[in-house]
Amino acid sequence: MSLRPTLETRQAVPTMEGAGVHLHRAFGFQDPSELDPFLLFDDFRNERPEDFMRGFPWHPHRGIETITYVLSGTVDHADSLGNTGSLGAGDIQWMTAGSGILHQEMPQGNAQGQMHGFQLWANLPSDLKMTAPRYQDVEAKEIPEIFEDDGTRVKVVVGSFWGKTGPVDGIAADPQYLDIYVPPGVKKTFPVDTYRRAFAYVFEGAGVFSDASAPTGVLLEKEVAGEEVNIRDMSGNRTLIRFGTGDEVTVQAGEEGIRFLLISGAPIQEPVAWHGPIVMNTQEELQKAFSELRNGTFIKPAH
């Protein structure tokens, strides 16, 4: 087994999307080859309803798939196919935009007015850019969860892991999307397919992801023992960790434990022409998509 090196650790950046939703973006609208097949990852977490209630009104997508994972609050959605529904805490939705879809996503807070969820964009290969749009909505109770003797918990949102398979299927990027909690002081190793691009996103607690060239897990062992340790060596709230090649990832949890998403997918390695919510392979295809938006032919009839 070979440990994946940590190529980069960075904080998600505050930004605003939709009709005024405050969120943090871990990556997106920069180098699309960096985490191919993934294009964008947003963490929408707010304590104040005025920061998210205006939501994401009707807007188009083409050429991508999106996964929305809700931790608290709800997201009401509707689309040009006639689908409507509401995602609650722990629910997920995978939307294949394919040839084109118009939809809206309107967050609602929980009883305390809080909202928290994630949205990930995955690219579609050229032969599936114009596939028929579809939705997969999955309730929290359908997501398998693995409980380890050391207190580690893994929710298998998408893909297969440790003998469990998530309920979403037929995704072009063939992703693995895991929600992982490692308890305080525990060091844990997770397998990741060698041929996938992979990243972690920390959203609770803190820990150290060991680097193949310079393992830093010992720092956390010192902290657990009560010795002074440089907090900058730890990955905490809203931190993205981008990994190099290898077939496993090791993390040591800090004094509060750590919860993070571990996401990987098979790279597509195709040209990307991208503007806003539409991702194609060439500028000509991109221009055609926006032309169709203007002339009313963006939504294709069902075959």
Side-chain angles (χ1 to χ4, degrees):
M1 303 293 283
S2 61
L3 185 65
R4 283 180 176 250
T6 300
L7 297 181
E8 181 184 17
T9 299
R10 66 177 184 240
Q11 289 295 114
V13 178
T15 188
M16 192 178 295
E17 282 293 351
V21 177
H22 294 256
L23 51 83
H24 284 72
R25 178 158 294 152
F27 63 88
F29 297 106
Q30 293 170 327
D31 179 3
S33 67
E34 183 179 75
L35 283 164
D36 179 20
F38 305 114
L39 298 165
L40 175 147
F41 182 85
D42 284 343
D43 177 350
F44 49 98
R45 180 185 341 183
N46 288 293
E47 304 291 327
R48 305 189 314 157
E50 57 266 35
D51 288 341
F52 61 82
M53 290 296 288
R54 289 185 291 274
F56 306 91
W58 291 95
H59 58 280
H61 284 292
R62 176 180 285 181
I64 63 171
E65 301 184 275
T66 68
I67 186 168
T68 304
Y69 179 32
V70 177
L71 292 185
S72 62
T74 61
V75 177
D76 297 333
H77 64 89
D79 68 54
S80 51
L81 301 175
N83 297 312
T84 60
S86 181
L87 299 176
D91 295 349
I92 60 174
Q93 178 190 85
W94 197 290
M95 185 270 289
T96 303
S99 61
I101 200 167
L102 296 171
H103 76 157
Q104 67 172 359
E105 300 158 297
M106 307 302 288
Q108 310 290 328
N110 60 17
Q112 291 74 44
Q114 300 162 327
M115 177 71 216
H116 190 192
F118 307 107
Q119 187 167 90
L120 174 70
W121 291 14
N123 199 7
L124 279 170
S126 55
D127 60 343
L128 292 176
K129 288 288 189 190
M130 299 298 286
T131 194
R134 69 169 180 154
Y135 273 95
Q136 296 181 71
D137 284 350
V138 178
E139 294 183 0
K141 63 184 180 183
E142 299 177 58
I143 300 173
E145 189 165 7
I146 300 164
F147 298 89
E148 293 277 279
D149 291 342
D150 60 8
T152 298
R153 301 193 305 268
V154 181
K155 291 184 179 181
V156 185
V157 179
V158 180
S160 296
F161 187 77
W162 283 348
K164 301 284 188 180
T165 299
V168 178
D169 61 5
I171 307 305
D174 188 26
Q176 187 181 68
Y177 189 127
L178 308 174
D179 177 351
I180 297 173
Y181 168 75
V182 180
V186 172
K187 187 175 184 179
K188 198 75 175 178
T189 296
F190 302 94
V192 181
D193 188 283
T194 307
Y195 300 101
R196 296 169 178 264
R197 297 270 170 81
F199 69 92
Y201 182 77
V202 181
F203 61 96
E204 286 180 14
V208 169
F209 288 84
S210 298
D211 192 302
S213 58
T216 54
V218 65
L219 295 173
L220 269 294
E221 291 167 9
K222 288 182 180 179
E223 188 197 37
V224 171
E227 298 180 30
E228 185 177 349
V229 65
N230 188 343
I231 192 70
R232 290 178 299 176
D233 292 309
M234 300 176 64
S235 296
N237 187 26
R238 295 194 177 106
T239 302
L240 173 78
I241 301 95
R242 189 163 61 91
F243 300 109
T245 57
D247 52 22
E248 60 184 21
V249 166
T250 295
V251 63
Q252 174 133 19
E255 60 183 3
E256 297 178 355
I258 185 172
R259 189 175 176 190
F260 61 98
L261 305 178
L262 181 58
I263 298 174
S264 62
I268 295 173
Q269 299 179 316
E270 292 182 350
V272 172
W274 183 4
H275 184 76
I278 297 175
V279 183
M280 304 303 290
N281 292 106
T282 67
Q283 288 297 319
E284 290 76 17
E285 292 170 340
L286 197 59
Q287 291 166 8
K288 181 180 179 182
F290 281 98
S291 175
E292 291 178 349
L293 260 178
R294 291 190 295 270
N295 65 28
T297 60
F298 183 78
I299 302 299
K300 304 303 179 186
H303 297 297

